[in-house]
Amino acid sequence: MLPVSALDPVMSSLFGIPPKNISTNLEPFQLCVSEDELIKFKELLKLSETGPETWWNTQQDPQLGISRDWLIAAKETWLKGFDWRKHEDQINEFPNFKTVVEDSEAGLVDIHFTALFSAREDAIPVIFLHGFPSSFMEFLPMMKLLAEKHTRETLPYHIIVPSLPDYGLSGRPTQNTEMTVATSARIMNKLMIDLGFGSGYVAQGGDLGSMIVRVMSVNHSECKAFHVNLLVLNPGETPTSSDLSPEESRILQRSEAWQQTGLAYALVHGTRPSTVGLAISSSPLALLAWIGEKLLEWVDQQEPLPLDTILAMVSFYWFTRTFPRSLYHAELVRNRFKGNAHPISKQKPLGYSLFPHDLAVLPKAWAEELYPNLVFFNAHSAGGHFASLERPREFLEDVEDFLGRLGDLFEIK
């Protein structure tokens, strides 16, 4: 590994100089899928046959899954109209690093992250954690907004965006250890300590990232505050407030309907992670069908993700062999069957951004009743599960508003 002092000067000028009190070695990193891998991918995709026509896959009903016509058209675009190198360039515009985190149970774990480091002594460290079927790429539009708005000298925050352990460009400790939410939380906390933020940081997450963040809020004193864009009722919780607006009632009905029709994927992930991991990762087209369904359905249908974005996210999963490694759902489903929930602090400052087309939501009255530590709440009129990708400007404004309410928690000057 290269010592910090040997960082590439171009990268260093673009928010790439870490704090002076860093206690780990960082290796500057640039993503570059080999030409051989790209050729192999295209050959596999070309040879992947689309399944036969059935009544179900000819319907334009998202509750039945993606249509055969969509998959055929997406495959054609993936083969002939998609430029992976463009997305690589966008990733490499930002400072990317790899480091090794030593965990008390997992041992040595390779961790990738991208960052915007500030030169300000009072900059607030913030770690952003993605979920499934997403990656650190989800936060790049938000990071671009910050990089355009600030210089290294004016940026009020240190922005740390990792690939979760077992996801993307991060590795895993050993094949003999199941990756759990608590293990991931511990590794992410240690990453922040190693980067020099042991005196305190803020954690943000959605989807799986929100589960990891809530565990960090309880298990790790270094996590001083947390913001989520997914907050749900825990088993056994029954809010007494009935003060819901008509819009909140509609959102809840939509969420409850999805629980009845869209949760099967998680049960498969959780109960048969080996089988689904092997099957879906056997073909680019299989991966596109499985992940593409989520990227199509889980967003605000008024503003769907562009096909190019969907293909980029699925390509990243393919090139990094992420899917069979990413199935934390096994633990999540076990907890669901047992009626357990991951712990969440009700003392540390909490912020919650509600995007109406997310898979699960918590209305304001319920959030205020259940969380006396709720210091920020914002209900949006648009946006879905991938908030930082769908609505990066609004997402960033929420996070900054939340950070602005933390007062002297970080001794802001």
Side-chain angles (χ1 to χ4, degrees):
M1 281 193 176
L2 297 175
V4 172
S5 59
L7 291 175
D8 179 81
V10 175
M11 187 177 291
S12 297
S13 67
L14 296 174
F15 306 97
I17 303 175
K20 296 178 181 177
N21 56 340
I22 190 171
S23 60
T24 187
N25 286 337
L26 299 182
E27 179 183 356
F29 173 80
Q30 285 204 321
L31 179 60
C32 183
V33 175
S34 71
E35 283 296 327
D36 286 346
E37 278 293 306
L38 286 173
I39 292 170
K40 180 182 176 182
F41 158 73
K42 287 205 169 185
E43 286 299 314
L44 285 171
L45 181 57
K46 185 185 299 184
L47 293 171
S48 297
E49 292 190 8
T50 307
E53 185 175 297
T54 66
W55 182 87
W56 296 286
N57 66 36
T58 58
Q59 308 303 304
Q60 300 301 317
D61 182 354
Q63 291 190 10
L64 297 175
I66 62 168
S67 72
R68 186 171 184 271
D69 287 346
W70 182 88
L71 189 60
I72 290 172
K75 174 184 175 180
E76 187 71 9
T77 301
W78 214 4
L79 276 172
K80 299 180 180 178
F82 176 73
D83 182 5
W84 167 250
R85 294 297 185 205
K86 178 186 74 172
H87 294 280
E88 271 189 349
D89 290 343
Q90 291 171 350
I91 290 169
N92 292 330
E93 285 179 2
F94 299 92
N96 283 262
F97 302 92
K98 284 196 173 184
T99 189
V100 175
V101 172
E102 184 172 4
D103 179 69
S104 57
E105 295 182 17
L108 300 177
V109 186
D110 292 325
I111 294 295
H112 158 267
F113 68 94
T114 186
L116 297 176
F117 288 119
S118 173
R120 290 175 53 164
E121 292 185 2
D122 61 350
I124 301 175
V126 189
I127 185 171
F128 291 84
L129 301 181
H130 64 81
F132 171 88
S134 191
S135 71
F136 78 99
M137 293 169 64
E138 183 179 342
F139 296 105
L140 295 184
M142 176 203 72
M143 295 178 70
K144 187 172 181 63
L145 290 173
L146 282 169
E148 291 173 346
K149 181 179 178 181
H150 294 285
T151 65
R152 180 173 172 271
E153 287 67 34
T154 64
L155 182 65
Y157 327 107
H158 298 292
I159 303 296
I160 310 299
V161 182
S163 294
L164 292 178
D166 264 354
Y167 272 78
L169 298 165
S170 287
R172 64 167 299 128
T174 169
Q175 299 299 328
N176 298 320
T177 300
E178 180 183 20
M179 184 57 65
T180 66
V181 169
T183 301
S184 186
R186 199 168 57 243
I187 293 169
M188 294 293 92
N189 180 71
K190 185 59 163 53
L191 171 67
M192 294 300 278
I193 293 173
D194 290 350
L195 292 177
F197 306 133
S199 61
Y201 63 85
V202 176
Q204 197 289 323
D207 188 75
L208 173 61
S210 73
M211 301 297 176
I212 297 171
V213 161
R214 59 191 285 163
V215 171
M216 293 169 78
S217 75
V218 173
N219 290 355
H220 303 289
S221 60
E222 295 85 358
C223 178
K224 302 298 184 183
F226 60 114
H227 175 278
V228 295
N229 51 284
L230 180 69
L231 194 59
V232 299
L233 285 177
N234 295 319
E237 288 182 336
T238 307
T240 60
S241 175
S242 58
D243 185 20
L244 303 182
S245 69
E247 177 60 20
E248 286 177 323
S249 296
R250 283 192 292 272
I251 293 171
L252 277 177
Q253 289 173 2
R254 187 189 307 130
S255 174
E256 290 168 1
W258 182 84
Q259 296 286 327
Q260 298 298 318
T261 63
L263 199 58
Y265 87 94
L267 297 178
V268 174
H269 285 196
T271 58
R272 294 294 185 272
S274 176
T275 303
V276 73
L278 291 169
I280 301 304
S281 63
S282 64
S283 155
L285 198 61
L287 189 66
L288 176 60
W290 195 258
I291 293 181
E293 176 197 89
K294 285 71 177 169
L295 298 175
L296 288 170
E297 182 187 359
W298 296 359
V299 300
D300 186 340
Q301 297 302 308
Q302 298 300 311
E303 299 180 90
L305 294 176
L307 178 58
D308 187 67
T309 299
I310 293 174
L311 295 177
M313 295 177 76
V314 178
S315 296
F316 181 78
Y317 266 60
W318 178 261
F319 291 131
T320 58
R321 305 295 187 263
T322 290
F323 181 76
R325 302 186 283 130
S326 69
L327 304 179
Y328 288 53
H329 298 83
E331 178 202 12
L332 297 175
V333 169
R334 285 199 302 270
N335 283 337
R336 180 184 176 87
F337 286 157
K338 294 177 181 178
N340 297 333
H342 288 96
I344 180 171
S345 175
K346 296 197 175 185
Q347 288 79 43
K348 294 178 180 178
L350 164 65
Y352 172 41
S353 296
L354 187 160
F355 289 87
H357 295 274
D358 206 343
L359 307 180
V361 297
L362 204 62
K364 183 178 183 181
W366 294 3
E368 290 176 336
E369 178 182 337
L370 295 170
Y371 296 100
N373 55 328
L374 186 71
V375 301
F376 173 85
F377 177 93
N378 191 19
H380 293 265
S381 59
H385 189 63
F386 307 99
S388 59
L389 188 63
E390 297 177 63
R391 316 289 297 185
R393 193 172 300 277
E394 293 90 334
F395 175 83
L396 176 58
E397 288 173 354
D398 278 9
V399 173
E400 291 193 293
D401 194 339
F402 171 66
L403 294 173
R405 301 185 188 205
L406 299 183
D408 60 358
L409 192 61
F410 290 88
E411 299 182 354
I412 303 172
K413 296 180 182 179

